[in-house]
Amino acid sequence: NAGVTQTPKFQVLKTGQSMTLQCAQDMNHEYMSWYRQDPGMGLRLIHYSVGAGITDQGEVPNGYNVSRSTTEDFPLRLLSAAPSQTSVYFCASSRLGTSEVAEAFFGQGTRLTVV
Amino acid sequence: SQKIEQNSEALNIQEGKTATLTCNYTNYSPAYLQWYRQDPGRGPVFLLLIRENEKEKRKERLKVTFDTTLKQSLFHITASQPADSATYLCALDLYNQGGKLIFGQGTELSVKP
């Protein structure tokens, strides 16, 4: 049981380049999310999804696109990277909470530098 | 404006003592509050959740309190050990939807032997 897997672990991009951060989970969770973590600011929600075909914006969505074609995968796309997108990105998954605890399971993170 | 804040300074304590971390929030009415641990270079790991109608929750050496009147949660680690050194994050969960959390900035705890 791998949990939440993110690739790559590290990436350097030039301003204006595009790339996709990959995220996969094997726990059959309905909910998947992308956060970015910057020094002194905690984790901020970028986009989230409650199931295949359904996505919505979080607190800081500008410059990022997502899609959810399967339950397992939730890629994050940067269409034109900017230095302000230099950050550590975390993908998370969780059950859609009802009577159970909806704890989030996080991947190991992708450290992205845009030069 | 809506805000969630944790101890702004890093917390340094001696092994064996109790560490107390604070999480304050304004202009939210969370149904749940979660605490996570994060080690350097790793993703956050879930520790505890407390519901709005619960005053206190315990798990081994961990204790969490939740005061919705004060809009504050306290996180205690008793008999602290150097292995407890990490950053601890509190997160508001407005709807019991673990995928849509509002995080504080974290408190770095260092336990000295």
Side-chain angles (χ1 to χ4, degrees):
Chain A
N1 192 341
V4 178
T5 302
Q6 289 184 236
T7 55
K9 288 188 168 52
F10 301 94
Q11 184 71 50
V12 178
L13 287 180
K14 293 183 179 177
T15 297
Q17 284 186 317
S18 63
M19 80 159 294
T20 299
L21 307 185
Q22 301 292 345
C23 176
Q25 54 97 4
D26 61 0
M27 296 173 282
N28 202 32
H29 285 164
E30 300 91 348
Y31 228 114
M32 293 188 76
S33 314
W34 278 101
Y35 295 85
R36 61 177 288 174
Q37 187 173 36
D38 301 294
M41 298 194 71
L43 285 88
R44 292 181 292 168
L45 183 64
I46 304 172
H47 285 286
Y48 64 97
S49 168
V50 299
I54 306 169
T55 64
D56 206 346
Q57 296 181 348
E59 179 188 358
V60 288
N62 292 341
Y64 308 95
N65 281 348
V66 292
S67 60
R68 183 111 177 256
S69 56
T70 67
T71 300
E72 295 79 17
D73 300 299
F74 191 43
L76 178 73
R77 297 184 187 85
L78 285 71
L79 297 179
S80 179
S84 60
Q85 294 178 305
T86 294
S87 188
V88 181
Y89 292 85
F90 288 100
C91 178
S93 75
S94 64
R95 288 185 301 270
L96 207 55
T98 53
S99 61
E100 298 179 44
V101 170
E103 65 180 276
F105 293 82
F106 285 84
Q108 294 293 313
T110 296
R111 185 173 295 273
L112 176 67
T113 302
V114 183
V115 298
Chain B
S1 64
Q2 297 174 318
K3 204 163 51 171
I4 174 170
E5 287 187 340
Q6 300 186 237
N7 302 54
S8 57
E9 301 293 329
L11 190 60
N12 296 302
I13 65 168
Q14 206 67 33
E15 182 176 8
K17 300 293 186 185
T18 296
T20 298
L21 284 65
T22 304
C23 178
N24 294 297
Y25 59 92
T26 57
N27 295 328
Y28 286 112
S29 297
Y32 305 84
L33 191 144
Q34 302 187 12
W35 283 89
Y36 288 79
R37 169 182 173 141
Q38 187 175 24
D39 292 288
R42 310 294 293 269
V45 174
F46 174 80
L47 295 174
L48 277 172
L49 172 145
I50 187 164
R51 294 176 172 82
E52 62 177 337
N53 60 353
E54 296 176 322
K55 296 291 186 193
E56 182 179 298
K57 197 77 161 288
R58 291 176 185 261
K59 180 182 176 183
E60 298 171 352
R61 293 184 296 111
L62 308 180
K63 184 178 88 170
V64 173
T65 62
F66 193 14
D67 188 326
T68 54
T69 301
L70 291 179
K71 294 188 181 295
Q72 181 181 78
S73 176
L74 299 179
F75 178 81
H76 306 273
I77 306 175
T78 59
S80 60
Q81 304 166 1
D84 295 325
S85 299
T87 296
Y88 291 84
L89 306 168
C90 71
L92 303 182
D93 184 352
L94 300 181
Y95 311 110
N96 191 25
Q97 294 178 345
K100 194 177 175 183
L101 299 172
I102 303 161
F103 281 90
Q105 78 275 27
T107 297
E108 185 177 350
L109 173 66
S110 178
V111 182
K112 298 283 191 282

